[in-house]
Amino acid sequence: MAAIQIEQLRSSVRGVIVQPGDETYESTRRVYNGMIDKHPALIVRCVDVADVIAAVDYARTNNVLTAIRGGGHNGGGLGTCEGGLVIDLSLMKGVRVDSVARTVRVGAGCVWGDVDHATHPFGLAVPTGFISSTGVAGLTLGGGIGYLTREYGLTIDNLLSADVVLADGSVVTADAENNPDLFWALRGGGGNFGVVTSFEFRAHPVRTVYAGPTFWPLEQTVEVMKAYRDFILGAPEYVNGFFAFLTIPPSPMFPEHLHLKKVCGVMWVSTGPAARAEAATRPMRSVGKPVLDQQGEMPLPAVNSLFDGLYPPGLQWYWRADFVKELSDEAIERHAHHGAALPTMHSTMHLYAIDGAAHRVGRNETAFSYRDANWAEVIVGVDPDPANAGTITKWCKDYFDALHPYSAGGAYVNFMMDEGQERVQASFRDNYERLAAIKSKYDPANLFRVNQNIRPAAT
Ligand SMILES: Cc1cc2nc3c(=O)[nH]c(=O)nc-3n(C[C@H](O)[C@H](O)[C@H](O)COP(=O)(O)OP(=O)(O)OC[C@H]3O[C@@H](n4cnc5c(N)ncnc54)[C@H](O)[C@@H]3O)c2cc1C
C-alpha cells in the first residue's frame, strides 16, 4: 500500500494504525481462533465514527480488501484478511443504559461481558450469547442465540437501531422508520452492508437466574437425547437448556471422580424464582441416572461467563453447523455415535433451542430466515495444540456429514467457517434475493466482502 496514502490516513485518524513490523502488530493481527493465521497490511484501530469514515474512505479510494472486526471471535476468521485492511472497532467501547426506557446503547467494540457489566446493576439484560468474550457486533449482525432466546427472542429481535458508516463514507441510522430496508438486512445479514458503529437494544428485567448442568453417562445418550427433544420444545419459555456432548473439565467446580469423563448433558438457565425453575426442569432431570445435577441461583453475568476460562483466545477451532427442525430417532443414533468420539477435551457439540419468542417473528420479517427451525446445531473441534488441528477438523467434518442429511438445509451464519456461496444462500433461503438487492443499494461494489458474502444484485 502506498506510503503516502497511509500517511494521509494516519493524519486523519485519532486511533492507532498498526503495520507489519510494529511492536503491537503480532498481538493485533491475531483473532480468537488460533487456526486463523492471516497477515493484514494495515490495521486501523478506530476510536470514533470519524476514524471509521476515514478508514472506509481509504479502503474505497484505494480499492483495498477490507475486513471489519468487532470482537474478533468469528470462527472462519472473518474479522481479518490476508494483505488487506482491518477496520478494528475494539477500542470503541461504551455502554449507556436508560433504565427507565429499558434501552441500552452499545459501542461496536464492546464484547457481551461489557454489556452484562453495565446492565446488571440496573437489573436488566440484553439477550446475548453463551460466552462473554464474543463481540456484540458480529453476534448481533448474524442473529444472536443465547440463554434468553426462548423467552425474549434472538439478539436481533431486541435491536432497536444501529448507526452505520456506509461504503460511500456517509453515516446513517437504521431503525424501523429510517432506512428500514437496511434495518431489515442488518438483522441477520451480517457485516455486508456497512460498518456499524453503535447498536441500541431493548433490555429485559433479568438479574439472577437458576442455572447449572445435568450430566449423564454416554451410555444413556439415546434415552437422554430423545427425552430432551420431547421436553424442551414444550417447556415454559423461561426455561432454557442446551444439549451438549462434552468432557467434564478438571475444575474444582466438579467432583474429582468425574474429571475428564465424556458425558452428554444439558446446561440449564431459567429466569424467575428458583423453585419454579427447579420444578419445571425436574421431569428432564429425572430421566435415566445423571452423574451430576447441579443447579443454583446465579447472577446472569456469571452464567454468561462460565465458559470464558475454558475457552481462552488462541485455541484451534474448526466449526460446522446446521439448523434442525426435527430430531429423528435415526439422527439421535448418529449423534450418539459421533458424540462419543469427542477427539479432545475442549471439543463439543451443542444443540441450542431457538423456539419460543424467536418463532414469533416471521421468516421474512428479518434477514434471519430459519424461524421455523427448532435448534441451531454446532459441532466444534477445539484444542490448544496446532498439532491436533487435523484430528479435530476430521472429527468435526465426519460428524457434520453424518448429520447434515437430517438438517433443515442451511446453517446459522455465525457458526460457519468460510464454506462458499451455496452455503450462504442456503442459510438465507428466500431472503437472499432481497438481501442482494439491498446490498446493491448500500454497497454496490462489494467493498465489504470479507464475511458470509451477499453478492450485490445486478442493477
Ligand atoms: C467461543 C465462541 C462462542 C460463541 N457463542 C455464540 C453464542 O452463544 N451465540 C451466538 O449467536 N454466536 C456465538 N458465537 C458465534 C459468534 O456470534 C460469531 O463468531 C460472531 O461473528 C462473533 O462476532 P465478533 O464481533 O466477535 O466477530 P468478528 O470476528 O470481529 O467479526 C465477525 C464478522 O462480523 C462482521 N462485523 C464485526 N463487527 C462489525 C461491525 N461493527 N459492523 C459490521 N460488520 C461487523 C465482520 O464483517 C465479520 O465478518 C460464538 C463464537 C465463539 C468463538
Side-chain angles (χ1 to χ4, degrees):
M1 288 178 196
I4 182 149
Q5 274 115 0
I6 294 173
E7 280 321 304
Q8 274 166 4
L9 177 63
R10 201 184 293 280
S11 68
S12 44
V13 302
R14 291 203 165 182
V16 186
I17 292 187
V18 183
Q19 291 180 269
D22 290 351
E23 204 183 321
T24 58
Y25 179 75
E26 265 314 296
S27 57
T28 315
R29 81 175 177 87
R30 299 248 172 230
V31 288
Y32 181 83
N33 185 354
M35 212 182 260
I36 308 296
D37 186 25
K38 294 192 173 159
H39 293 78
L42 199 61
I43 303 167
V44 182
R45 307 200 70 200
C46 302
V47 295
D48 59 17
V49 175
D51 282 2
V52 178
I53 296 170
V56 168
D57 285 345
Y58 172 86
R60 187 188 60 255
T61 314
N62 296 285
N63 195 19
V64 178
L65 180 69
T66 301
I68 312 168
R69 184 186 304 170
H73 253 225
N74 188 267
L78 297 173
T80 187
C81 59
E82 188 62 41
L85 165 73
V86 173
I87 301 179
D88 177 357
L89 301 161
S90 61
L91 300 177
M92 289 178 61
K93 302 270 193 190
V95 182
R96 184 179 186 280
V97 181
D98 181 335
S99 60
V100 177
R102 288 188 178 164
T103 59
V104 187
R105 171 66 64 179
V106 182
C110 288
V111 297
W112 282 106
D114 300 326
V115 180
D116 274 348
H117 174 77
T119 56
H120 188 65
F122 297 96
L124 294 172
V126 176
T128 131
F130 301 92
I131 213 162
S132 82
S133 54
T134 307
V136 168
L139 179 139
T140 301
L141 295 170
I145 296 167
Y147 291 119
L148 300 180
T149 298
R150 297 191 72 236
E151 191 170 14
Y152 295 118
L154 301 174
T155 305
I156 49 170
D157 301 334
N158 297 280
L159 181 65
L160 298 172
S161 79
D163 287 346
V164 191
V165 176
L166 300 175
D168 65 4
S170 62
V171 184
V172 297
T173 294
D175 59 24
E177 272 84 46
N178 303 290
N179 305 296
D181 54 350
L182 179 61
F183 187 51
W184 179 87
L186 290 177
R187 287 175 292 162
N192 274 282
F193 305 95
V195 185
V196 176
T197 55
S198 75
F199 298 85
E200 189 185 14
F201 296 103
R202 186 184 303 114
H204 299 276
V206 182
R207 193 189 287 273
T208 54
V209 288
Y210 189 70
T214 309
F215 294 144
W216 291 265
L218 283 178
E219 303 76 65
Q220 294 174 37
T221 295
V222 170
E223 180 191 1
V224 170
M225 218 170 173
K226 284 182 183 173
Y228 171 78
R229 166 192 69 192
D230 299 337
F231 170 80
I232 195 70
L233 302 181
E237 288 175 8
Y238 59 81
V239 169
N240 203 332
F242 69 80
F243 179 91
F245 289 111
L246 72 152
T247 306
I248 300 179
S251 144
M253 282 170 68
F254 304 110
E256 220 174 303
H257 72 278
L258 293 178
H259 287 180
L260 298 176
K261 284 239 172 334
K262 290 180 192 178
V263 290
C264 67
V266 177
M267 173 63 198
W268 302 105
V269 170
S270 307
T271 61
R276 179 178 83 159
E278 198 283 326
T281 54
R282 202 178 308 142
M284 180 67 216
R285 289 165 34 238
S286 313
V287 168
K289 287 202 174 84
V291 290
L292 185 88
D293 184 28
Q294 187 175 282
Q295 288 195 72
E297 266 188 290
M298 285 185 226
L300 183 66
V303 176
N304 283 342
S305 53
L306 272 180
F307 297 105
D308 292 12
L310 184 62
Y311 292 110
L315 304 181
Q316 307 281 306
W317 288 72
Y318 195 85
W319 296 67
R320 277 285 184 269
D322 263 322
F323 285 117
V324 176
K325 268 189 209 168
E326 280 166 28
L327 258 177
S328 67
D329 289 356
E330 215 175 282
I332 286 175
E333 294 287 344
R334 290 189 176 207
H335 272 293
H337 174 75
H338 290 274
L342 291 171
T344 59
M345 187 193 82
H346 292 83
S347 298
T348 188
M349 190 289 297
H350 291 176
L351 270 179
Y352 301 120
I354 50 170
D355 61 324
H359 275 196
R360 286 194 283 280
V361 179
R363 70 184 257 176
N364 305 124
E365 280 183 57
T366 65
F368 186 99
S369 162
Y370 275 90
R371 296 290 184 167
D372 48 348
N374 286 314
W375 290 277
E377 169 196 293
V378 63
I379 305 162
V380 278
V382 192
D383 196 64
D385 188 352
N388 287 333
T391 308
I392 59 175
T393 301
K394 181 172 178 346
W395 170 77
C396 182
K397 283 184 175 169
D398 288 350
Y399 194 159
F400 171 81
D401 289 346
L403 267 301
H404 182 62
Y406 301 89
S407 76
Y412 175 37
V413 287
N414 274 348
F415 290 162
M416 281 162 52
M417 299 292 275
D418 202 349
E419 296 172 35
Q421 265 301 295
E422 223 173 272
R423 197 85 178 113
V424 176
Q425 293 200 20
S427 296
F428 290 114
R429 299 192 291 189
D430 56 337
N431 284 339
Y432 188 86
E433 219 175 295
R434 184 167 168 197
L435 282 164
I438 296 170
K439 176 81 172 173
S440 74
K441 175 174 169 191
Y442 290 98
D443 182 18
N446 207 3
L447 179 65
F448 304 117
R449 61 183 176 278
V450 181
N451 43 42
Q452 301 298 349
N453 195 232
I454 291 155
R455 303 222 169 113
T459 46

